[in-house]
Amino acid sequence: MTRAVVITGTRSTGHRDLDSYAELFTNYLAPFAVPETRFYIGGAKGIDSLSLLWLAGNSDAQITIVVPGTVRQQPAEARQAITRSRDRITEVVELGAEEELRSPAFHARNRWMVDRSDMVIGFPLGGPQGTSGTWQTLNYGAEQEKARLIVPV
């Protein structure tokens, strides 16, 4: 049976070192990172890029990158992570949003991923629940009665 898992998280990751993220991913992604699991990752900088690189180097899971427009529109950090992991990426989905990406395009991408998943793993910034894209994705997952794992960073 294939499991589909969305990874969502903050783009602001400079407050921790790479070893800290590797430890978080080992603890919270590794249990799900088997060949039968497909991970949907949003293709942005921050948690998206870090989790992509970790999964590509530490698992045999299937990886699908989903971007609201095109990969070319993503920040340099994200494009580099995608390029470095290209041989491990199962699929890249470009949703074709307009040239100037705004919040509605990112929210549509997040809903697209959740609609195709069984579970959402979120890495929001620590502190109270906010209105970020990470929380929007986690909350949409809850509305869709998807399992959620929340790991504050």
Side-chain angles (χ1 to χ4, degrees):
M1 180 173 94
T2 300
R3 172 186 291 135
V5 178
V6 172
I7 297 175
T8 185
T10 181
R11 292 182 182 151
S12 302
T13 55
H15 59 286
R16 288 178 176 248
D17 62 26
L18 293 178
D19 289 338
S20 173
Y21 289 107
E23 183 178 343
L24 283 174
F25 298 151
T26 298
N27 290 335
Y28 297 105
L29 296 183
F32 303 102
V34 296
E36 297 80 27
T37 301
R38 173 179 301 270
F39 283 95
Y40 288 102
I41 304 173
K45 68 179 191 169
I47 290 295
D48 287 0
S49 293
L50 293 172
S51 64
L52 166 59
L53 292 169
W54 187 89
L55 284 167
N58 296 283
S59 82
D60 292 323
Q62 302 166 50
I63 302 169
T64 297
I65 301 299
V66 184
V67 296
T70 65
V71 171
R72 178 183 51 78
Q73 291 172 290
Q74 299 309 306
E77 174 187 327
R79 289 192 317 270
Q80 290 166 1
I82 292 168
T83 298
R84 285 180 51 195
S85 305
R86 186 62 78 179
D87 64 331
R88 282 286 295 111
I89 295 172
T90 308
E91 180 181 21
V92 175
V93 177
E94 296 178 314
L95 296 176
E98 294 301 317
E99 203 53 38
E100 187 175 346
L101 298 177
R102 297 183 186 267
S103 291
F106 293 103
H107 290 220
R109 178 212 49 205
N110 296 342
R111 287 189 305 275
W112 189 97
M113 293 190 300
V114 170
D115 289 345
R116 287 154 180 80
S117 74
D118 305 304
M119 177 180 192
V120 181
I121 300 177
F123 296 89
L125 282 175
Q129 181 174 335
T131 59
S132 68
T134 302
W135 281 110
Q136 178 269 334
T137 305
L138 286 162
N139 291 335
Y140 182 70
E143 291 169 13
Q144 301 304 309
E145 299 183 356
K146 310 287 175 136
R148 298 180 303 155
L149 174 60
I150 301 169
V151 184
V153 297

